[in-house]
Amino acid sequence: MTTAYLTCPLCEATCGLAVSLDGETVTSVRGDEDDAFSHGFICPKGASLKALHEDPDRLRTPLVKRDGQWHEATWDEAFAEVDRRLVPLVAEHGPQAVAFYLGNPSSHNLGVTLYGRAFYKAVGTPNIYTAGSVDQLPKHYSSGYLFGDPLSIPVPDLDRTHHLLLLGANPLVSNGSLMTVPDARGRLKAIRQRGGKVVVVDPRRTRTADVADDHHAIRPGTDALLLFAIVHVLLRDGLAGLGRLADHVDGFDGLAELAAPFTPEAVSPQTGIAASEIERMARELAAAESAAVYGRIGTTTQDFGTLASWLVDVLNVITGNLDRPGGAMFPLAAAGQANSIAKQGSSPSKVWRHGRWHSRVRGLPEVMGELPVATLADEILTPGPGQVRALVVVGGNPCLSTPNADRLREAVQTLDLMVSLDVYLNETSQHADVILPGPTPLERDHYDVTFTQLSVRNMANWSPAALETDQPQEWQTLLRLAAIAAGQGPAADVGALDDLMASQTAARYGLDVTVAGERRGPARLLDLMLRGGPHDLTLADLEAAPHGLDLGPLTPRLPELLRTASGRIELTPEPITRDVPRLVAALGRPLAGPDELVLVGRRQLGSNNSWMHNLAPLVRGSNTCTVHVHPDDANRLGLRDGGAAVVRSRAGSVTVPVEVTDTVRRGVVSIPHGWGHSTPGARTQVAAAHAGVNTNVLADDLFLDALTGTAVLNGIPVTVEPVEPVGQPT
C-alpha cells in the first residue's frame, strides 16, 4: 500500500487529497490533513476521484467517425485524419474558418493551460470561445479597466476580514469561484466567531445564506442597482474614504454624479430590498473594522453583469478596503501571474483594452482574446467569408452548457470538421469526427497555475502523477496538433516543439533554459515559471514539500501591481461607465407583476457543470435536477411538489420535476446548470440514468450583458405551467 498526495483538480478550491493505492488500484480518497492550505477539508467532488479514474465510460483510445459510425483508432491514425481534413480546409477558407471552444476542465489541466496556446496560435484564428463568456468575462473586463490587467482580480481576505458582503455567490456549495478557498464554511464561521458579520444577497436562501447573519432576497438581475445605491449612500453621507489609496486613484470625483440617480428609495422597488435595509447595509459596510465585497456568478451572468462586477470593486475602493488586510486583496502567485513576474520590471508594455476584433455576424467584441460563445452558432450557420467550418472543442460540452444550446447542437452538425479533446463521448463530442482522450487525473502531473492567482492565501502545491500510463498526455497531443496546423504533418518531433516552448518560456522570464536541467513537458515550463516568479522557488522545492508550501497571507501590492495607462486605479473608466445610462433607464422599467416569473440557476455541491454527472457518487441525494418554485407561486400556478412543469422562455422549453420550497423568493424559479443528458448517441450511462433537463435550452442567446456579450443566465423571463401525469384527467 502506498499513499499519493495530490491537489484535487475538480474545482477551484484546490484541496489536498491523500489517495491510497494498492498497486494500480485506488482503495480510498480522503482529505490530506497535512495539506498546507486545505488542512484535511474535502468535498464530494474530491472523494469521487476514484470513481472518475475507474469510470468504464471513460475513453482511453482515440475514436474516428467513418460513414457515421465510431471506430477505435491508433493515435497515429487519429492524427493523420486530423491532418487530412484540417490542413486543406484552412488552405481553402483561411484560419478564420476554424473555431476553438475551451471548456471548464481545460483550466484545471496543467498541460492544456501551458501548451494549448501553441495549438491555438498555430491555427491563427480569431475565433476563440470559452466557458468564461457563460460565466465570468464581466469580472475580467472590469478588472482590466480598473487595474490594467484582466487577471488582477481582488479576492476577499477571508481569514482576516470583519465584514463580508457576498452577492450572487454560494461558496459553501461552489467552494469558491474566482476565489480559491477550501472550507468556505469554516472560514465564514470564523468571521462570525471573531465578532464580524456575513451578509448574503441572493434571490435564493442558499447554504451560504443559512450561515450568514443577514440574507437579502434580491430580485434577480438588479444587483448593479443595489450596489450603486450603497455607493450613493456612502458618498451622500460622507462615509467614503480612499485611505492609503488616495494618491493612487483617478476618477473618484466623478463617482457622485454617476451615483446620483440611484437613491435607496429609487432602487428599492426594483431590487425588492427596503430602502432602510440598503441604508443599513451601507453604514455597516463603512463602519466595519475591515470589510470585503465579493460578487460571483449571480452578478456576472445578468443584464448588467459588467456594471455589477465594477461596482463590487468600487465599493472595496471607496471604503478604503482594497489592498489591505481584511479587505479585498491581490494574491501573489508563485507561477504564471503576469503582474507578479519579478524579473520583468513594473512598467506595463501595453495598455489593456477590449474589442480588438469583433464577431463576424453580430459584431460582438473580443474580451481577453475571446469572443462571446452566445454567437458561435451564428458564426457556423451564417454563410459568407469567414464562416466557421471547423470546430475544436478542448475539454468542454458547449452543446449542453452554452445559451440556446439546442441551436448550437443543430449548428455543429453542419460543420465540415469537428475535433474533440475529451474523455467522454458526450452531448457535444458525439458530433465530432475525431475524439482524442487524455489520461485520468491520477495519471498526470498537476499544478494550479490558474487558481493560485485567485487564492485567499498565497500557496503552491505540486502533484506528480500517482500512476503511470501509456496514454499520451494532453500537452503531447496539443503539440502534435500544433505541428499539423503549422504544416509540419502528424509525425512532427514533439520533443523539438517542447524545446521551443521551453526556450520561449525561459526568455519571457529572463532565464537560461538549461537551469531546468533534464525536465521535459509541463514540469520544465513550471520550473522556469517558478524560478522567474516572485517567491524564489524551484520545482525541486515543491517536490520536497508533498503537502504544499504555505507562502503566507495576502499582502498589499498597490501601486506596483497596476498596469493602467495612468499607473493608477481608474475608478470610472469610460468603457464601463458608458453603460450607466442604460442602468438609469432600468430604474424606470415597469415593476414585475405578481404573475411574472424569472429563472435563475443554482450550484450543487457534487456537481461542476456537466462533466461530473457520470460519476455515481455525485448524482445521489439532493444533487438532482428539479425546478424550485416558491409555495405561493406553486399554489397560484397549480403546481405540486413532485409533479412536473413546463418551463418556457423565448429560446425554448423544458419539462422538469417540481420542488416546492420557500428557499426561493416569490416570482423566481431555479433550475441547476449542466444537466440534460438524454441525447441519443452519448456513452455516459450514469448521466443518462439521471438525465435531468438542460436549463441552457431556456437561456437566450440574444439576452446578453451589453459590454462583454456574456450570456444572461440569471433573470430570464419564463412562464411555468403544470403537466398532469399521463393517464390522469386534465
Side-chain angles (χ1 to χ4, degrees):
M1 295 286 289
T2 59
T3 300
Y5 298 100
L6 63 148
T7 301
C8 179
L10 300 182
C11 82
E12 295 187 33
T14 70
C15 299
L17 304 179
V19 180
S20 297
L21 300 164
D22 185 357
E24 299 293 303
T25 302
V26 180
T27 59
S28 71
V29 180
R30 62 190 188 278
D32 177 9
E33 295 182 358
D34 295 320
D35 186 86
F37 189 35
S38 60
H39 307 292
F41 178 82
I42 188 174
C43 84
K45 293 190 286 291
S48 73
L49 208 61
K50 171 180 166 66
L52 177 60
H53 180 71
E54 298 172 352
D55 188 350
D57 286 335
R58 282 185 63 98
L59 301 178
R60 289 166 171 80
T61 189
L63 296 180
V64 174
K65 189 179 290 179
R66 299 188 182 97
D67 299 323
Q69 300 296 316
W70 288 111
H71 299 271
E72 290 191 355
T74 67
W75 285 93
D76 287 344
E77 289 170 340
F79 287 117
E81 180 71 3
V82 175
D83 182 60
R84 183 180 71 83
R85 300 180 63 176
L86 179 64
V87 172
L89 185 148
V90 173
E92 181 178 356
H93 301 288
Q96 69 274 18
V98 181
F100 286 93
Y101 176 82
L102 317 179
N104 180 281
S106 62
S107 62
H108 297 262
N109 186 306
L110 179 63
V112 175
T113 299
L114 298 184
Y115 285 83
R117 58 191 173 92
F119 183 24
Y120 318 145
K121 291 179 69 174
V123 173
T125 179
N127 293 312
I128 305 290
Y129 304 85
T130 84
S133 62
V134 187
D135 182 326
Q136 65 193 46
L137 272 191
K139 194 64 187 177
H140 293 294
Y141 182 108
S142 63
S143 294
Y145 282 110
L146 262 69
F147 311 120
D149 184 340
L151 295 176
S152 291
I153 296 175
V155 302
D157 184 12
L158 290 186
D159 294 335
R160 292 180 290 187
T161 194
H162 288 80
H163 188 99
L164 180 64
L165 174 58
L166 298 130
L167 300 98
N170 188 11
L172 264 66
V173 169
S174 69
N175 291 318
S177 179
L178 292 181
M179 176 180 69
T180 297
V181 51
D183 191 15
R185 178 183 291 274
R187 284 177 157 88
L188 267 58
K189 182 180 179 180
I191 294 173
R192 301 179 69 187
Q193 288 176 336
R194 58 178 173 263
K197 185 169 187 176
V198 177
V199 180
V200 170
V201 176
D202 199 297
R204 299 176 51 246
R205 191 175 70 247
T206 62
R207 291 192 184 194
T208 305
D210 279 339
V211 304
D213 297 276
D214 290 344
H215 170 225
H216 301 280
I218 194 170
R219 183 169 289 117
T222 64
D223 297 77
L225 293 172
L226 171 65
L227 290 164
F228 239 144
I230 295 174
V231 171
H232 178 100
V233 173
L234 295 176
L235 295 173
R236 182 197 67 193
D237 296 350
L239 300 175
L242 300 179
R244 75 173 190 87
L245 297 179
D247 294 333
H248 306 296
V249 176
D250 278 349
F252 177 74
D253 292 341
L255 192 59
E257 182 179 355
L258 292 170
F262 302 99
T263 65
E265 294 75 17
V267 307
S268 177
Q270 295 288 356
T271 61
I273 300 176
S276 60
E277 286 297 292
I278 297 173
E279 300 254 2
R280 181 168 69 90
M281 292 169 69
R283 293 194 179 103
E284 290 180 352
L285 182 67
E289 179 180 339
S290 62
V293 184
Y294 167 71
R296 199 36 212 110
I297 193 168
T299 60
T300 55
T301 57
Q302 59 173 272
D303 196 11
F304 295 97
T306 300
L307 287 183
S309 299
W310 165 64
L311 287 163
V312 163
D313 285 323
V314 167
L315 283 174
N316 286 322
V317 170
I318 70 172
T319 57
N321 282 299
L322 184 74
D323 196 46
R324 79 177 183 100
M329 304 189 75
F330 299 93
L332 185 63
Q337 194 165 327
N339 58 31
S340 71
I341 297 173
K343 297 177 177 63
Q344 282 193 332
S346 60
S347 60
S349 58
K350 57 183 177 181
V351 176
W352 186 84
R353 60 187 178 90
H354 84 292
R356 293 171 295 172
W357 61 89
H358 292 74
S359 65
R360 175 180 64 102
V361 178
R362 291 167 61 182
L364 297 177
E366 162 273 339
V367 178
M368 209 169 63
E370 66 178 90
L371 293 169
V373 74
T375 194
L376 177 55
D378 302 315
E379 297 297 318
I380 296 171
L381 293 172
T382 306
Q387 179 182 4
V388 169
R389 300 169 183 271
L391 177 65
V392 181
V393 179
V394 181
N397 195 357
C399 291
L400 201 65
S401 59
T402 59
N404 204 342
D406 278 353
R407 184 166 181 258
L408 183 60
R409 177 176 52 80
E410 294 168 1
V412 299
Q413 295 177 67
T414 70
L415 291 164
D416 295 338
L417 173 65
M418 181 173 164
V419 178
S420 283
L421 278 68
D422 210 301
V423 297
Y424 287 115
L425 185 59
N426 60 25
E427 292 78 13
T428 296
S429 63
Q430 67 171 314
H431 302 297
D433 300 287
V434 179
I435 304 178
L436 303 170
T440 75
L442 295 178
E443 298 167 337
R444 63 173 180 251
D445 300 337
H446 183 66
Y447 178 90
D448 274 297
V449 171
T450 300
F451 301 113
T452 51
Q453 300 180 43
L454 299 164
S455 179
V456 299
R457 189 173 179 88
N458 294 318
M459 48 76 63
N461 200 330
W462 167 252
S463 300
L467 295 171
E468 294 184 358
T469 179
D470 293 330
Q471 191 167 355
Q473 298 286 328
E474 284 96 344
W475 67 271
Q476 295 169 315
T477 296
L478 288 162
L479 285 182
R480 289 190 71 173
L481 291 170
I484 289 171
Q488 298 178 23
D493 184 348
V494 170
L497 294 173
D498 183 32
D499 288 340
L500 176 61
M501 291 282 290
S503 295
Q504 292 173 343
T505 301
R508 191 179 312 125
Y509 289 83
L511 298 170
D512 186 325
V513 70
T514 61
V515 299
E518 300 300 315
R519 297 185 188 276
R520 309 292 298 175
R524 176 165 53 169
L525 267 57
L526 179 62
D527 186 46
L528 293 167
M529 293 161 66
L530 289 166
R531 291 173 183 272
H535 291 284
D536 194 26
L537 292 173
T538 68
L539 185 52
D541 295 326
L542 300 189
E543 289 171 328
H547 305 288
L549 290 177
D550 180 0
L551 302 176
L554 306 185
T555 56
R557 296 190 58 206
L558 297 180
E560 291 79 12
L561 168 141
L562 298 173
R563 295 292 183 271
T564 57
S566 64
R568 297 155 67 92
I569 298 170
E570 297 182 358
L571 196 61
T572 54
E574 189 277 336
I576 294 176
T577 59
R578 68 185 182 200
D579 202 31
V580 172
R582 190 171 66 95
L583 187 63
V584 174
L587 288 171
R589 288 179 183 172
L591 295 178
D595 296 339
E596 295 182 37
L597 295 173
V598 294
L599 172 71
V600 300
R602 68 178 185 269
R603 293 273 192 175
Q604 293 176 311
L605 185 59
S607 175
N608 194 348
N609 303 325
S610 70
W611 56 294
M612 295 180 187
H613 292 161
N614 206 54
L615 306 180
L618 298 183
V619 291
R620 298 171 179 165
S622 61
N623 214 41
T624 56
C625 184
T626 60
V627 58
H628 284 182
V629 184
H630 189 276
D632 291 353
D633 292 321
N635 290 335
R636 173 174 57 82
L637 296 168
L639 302 172
R640 63 177 181 84
D641 192 70
V646 177
V647 183
R648 290 189 177 89
S649 72
R650 187 204 71 85
S653 66
V654 296
T655 300
V656 59
V658 174
E659 189 173 346
V660 178
T661 172
D662 64 0
T663 60
V664 293
R665 65 167 287 152
R666 285 185 292 273
V668 175
V669 296
S670 174
I671 302 175
H673 175 86
W675 297 83
H677 305 285
S678 57
T679 306
R683 296 183 191 171
T684 48
Q685 300 176 60
V686 174
H690 302 80
V693 301
N694 184 7
T695 185
N696 284 303
V697 170
L698 305 171
D700 194 336
D701 54 349
L702 302 181
F703 190 20
L704 309 174
D705 170 55
L707 297 181
T708 65
T710 300
V712 172
L713 302 181
N714 289 290
I716 301 170
V718 294
T719 61
V720 182
E721 59 187 49
V723 175
E724 293 296 330
V726 175
Q728 295 191 15
T730 59

